[in-house]
Amino acid sequence: MLTERQLLILNAIIDDYITHAEPVGSRSVSKREDIEFSPATIRNEMSDLEELGFLEKPHSSAGRIPSQKGYRYYVDHLLSPKKLTKNEIHGIQSVFRDRFSEMEQVIQQSAKILSSLTSYTSIVLGPEVFESTLKQIQIIPISHESAVAIIVTDMGHVENQTVPLPEGININELEKVVNILNEKLKGVPLIHLRHKLSTEIGKVLEKYIDHYDSMITLLNQTFLSQQSEKVFFGGKTNILAQPEFHDVERVKRLFNILEEDALVSKLFRSDYKGITIKIGQENRFEPFDDCSVITATYSVDGKHMGTVGILGPTRMEYPRVIGILDYLSKDLSKLLSARYQK
Amino acid sequence: MLTERQLLILNAIIDDYITHAEPVGSRSVSKREDIEFSPATIRNEMSDLEELGFLEKPHSSAGRIPSQKGYRYYVDHLLSPKKLTKNEIHGIQSVFRDRFSEMEQVIQQSAKILSSLTSYTSIVLGPEVFESTLKQIQIIPISHESAVAIIVTDMGHVENQTVPLPEGININELEKVVNILNEKLKGVPLIHLRHKLSTEIGKVLEKYIDHYDSMITLLNQTFLSQQSEKVFFGGKTNILAQPEFHDVERVKRLFNILEEDALVSKLFRSDYKGITIKIGQENRFEPFDDCSVITATYSVDGKHMGTVGILGPTRMEYPRVIGILDYLSKDLSKLLSARYQK
DNA sequence: TTTAGCACTCGACAATAGAGAGTGCTAACA
DNA sequence: TGTTAGCACTCTCTATTGTCGAGTGCTAAA
């Protein structure tokens, strides 16, 4: 267990390092208002803290920097979210003011304001399509051989996909199929569409139409489509301003990951309702070793919808970022719930 | 006018600089197989070429590097497109093999293969939505106050947008409107929808429905939507491997532009049928001063659809890139024409 | 237990020197 | 007259050295 004084000093060092990005020496700690010990005393404590694994030295005659364990302790025990400034609150609310911009636009705007408030990189996932249910399905022929299939969900989300048409199928038949589908599948979660198709629906269709096999293939293809959630970024280049990323090689490795939506989704996705903080290697991706990721989830009517998150250096302003994320995720949930409740 | 020998030397220098990214000295030029003059002679010629503005010196005791004017001359007079290797042809065709992937997927794949073949960054624009015509329009109510409007084009492209519903409108009325729209607007280019609405259609609607004003607002909003063409990237981080971008500050400026679809679109868009090459400052964007952009257009049935392009250092392998772009753009046009012709 | 004092360590920075690549000029050569 | 060899000169790059300062860790005194 750490003593009161050790906590004080650990807190001071992390605080200092977060703002100045430079190893913190005993002298500069002792100069702080809230600390009244001599540098020598602090040196002893720092030495102990290092032995315990909370601090480390870049080299023998530099100051100390927080270790990953140090940040973890700080985040778990020392930190309290910072209250938002009027400006910050104002900025966030301006996103939600425009009552009828599309959901995707709201989310994109959220990402933007997050990054501009924090000056880190923001990432917003979702909404997760497969949790929503089918509102309507349409299949519109484009040429003799292809059609575009459109799926509308209860949340107003639209998915579409081009599919090959069975040869020789006629418009009436196609219409019949679509009617059956709409009748039988309305309200079914997208994730269950394929299953329903292979069970009940298949049998019904078999009775009514000629081109059964190729039609089933077509529908399967339609329902298979985009499972992955959309990824929205804000301030993608903000992270480059951090001294941690002054090396292009590292930038490249980082951006290679950010370009892959599937990876980003995996990395940021959170199901835990509330704030999640992952520090350095806790992210399990080498290029993120010097980064922390803070995420919060948003929901509609209490149902989990997606994740908003911030990517910054491990040396990130945790209290402020947490405050902002918490506020925004709650506001976003409120807005979406109001708009899309049944 | 340049002499035969000056051309030879200019060509040799650019060639060398393109592959090695280092100032080229007289000695290394004289060592090339196709050149049989002494370094001294070459020095004299280089001095002349510099005076004429085709070469420049980083400093007084380095070799020469091509100037922007040098590249321009090279591109206009010296270069001939390189034939594709079997591998390259194979790579490109693999993109087009999957007969029924969606148009957007084909385009995304094209971007990917382009970047992996050239190891530069590739950018594909389009297809340009507003050139295509309306196939079908739908308005599907999502809640009491909002609906999602869906526009399908003759190319199978789907646009959708959430719009507020006029208060108190009933389903039948909405259906009536949609029917009228479909009847009157089928085949109309998207770009003319708003105009048509304010002229003929408006009058017809006025007769039939109650909530005329708010309905018109709704439709206007629907038709207003996405004018901008989509931007697809491949190998966005490839450009970071170039020594020109070893400086993070520069990377940041470049990526800030690439993040803005509208800017990218402006920068890359080409209407000229064929290959366009923009070198360095010809791009009119400071962060692109050391970059060249090569673009080609693709079309459907001879109608201009979009642009495929490569972003690389000015020191780019022009002959190879031009060859590849030419091949791919033609193949892409062929595929799309086959699929979407009337 | 805390603190002052002091020797020691290490990185950052500037100054210096030497190597190497390349040029430009001059004079000799074909 | 065009080409080439020779050579002094220029400039960058790298390695080396020395100095400075920040910071530590230890010891001994308060």
Side-chain angles (χ1 to χ4, degrees), chain B residues 77-95:
Chain B
H77 301 101
L78 296 174
L79 148 171
S80 57
K82 205 178 147 198
K83 271 209 152 181
L84 275 64
T85 66
K86 278 206 180 115
N87 256 336
E88 289 166 341
I89 292 178
H90 188 78
I92 292 177
Q93 289 185 336
S94 73
V95 174

Side-chain angles (χ1 to χ4, degrees), chain B residues 2-146:
Chain B
L2 296 180
T3 66
E4 197 67 18
R5 192 167 70 188
Q6 283 175 324
L7 293 182
L8 197 61
I9 291 175
L10 180 58
N11 193 53
I13 291 174
I14 296 184
D15 234 52
D16 196 274
Y17 188 65
I18 282 177
T19 47
H20 299 109
E22 238 139 65
V24 186
S26 53
R27 236 177 80 83
S28 67
V29 173
S30 83
K31 271 197 204 134
R32 288 173 62 109
E33 284 185 7
D34 53 342
I35 285 186
E36 36 204 8
F37 314 100
S38 78
T41 310
I42 292 168
R43 277 206 289 285
N44 288 330
E45 296 286 23
M46 281 163 89
S47 179
D48 289 351
L49 284 170
E50 184 179 355
E51 210 161 300
L52 291 167
F54 294 104
L55 297 177
E56 40 194 44
K57 275 189 293 204
H59 57 83
S60 76
S61 82
R64 304 298 209 291
I65 61 175
S67 68
Q68 188 171 314
K69 185 174 168 188
Y71 284 119
R72 178 42 70 194
Y73 194 91
Y74 171 76
V75 159
D76 288 344
H77 301 101
L78 296 174
L79 148 171
S80 57
K82 205 178 147 198
K83 271 209 152 181
L84 275 64
T85 66
K86 278 206 180 115
N87 256 336
E88 289 166 341
I89 292 178
H90 188 78
I92 292 177
Q93 289 185 336
S94 73
V95 174
F96 301 130
R97 197 177 304 139
D98 184 8
R99 190 112 181 50
F100 270 99
S101 45
E102 210 184 337
M103 191 173 198
E104 290 209 350
Q105 279 166 31
V106 175
I107 289 175
Q108 178 65 69
Q109 283 301 316
S110 301
K112 225 174 209 162
I113 192 73
L114 262 183
S115 66
S116 88
L117 285 180
T118 61
S119 66
Y120 300 124
T121 296
S122 74
I123 295 173
V124 184
L125 301 186
E128 282 164 35
V129 169
F130 44 85
E131 296 231 351
S132 42
T133 65
L134 185 84
K135 181 99 190 172
Q136 187 164 355
I137 183 169
Q138 290 238 327
I139 299 177
I140 300 166
I142 293 302
S143 68
H144 291 304
E145 13 177 55
S146 66

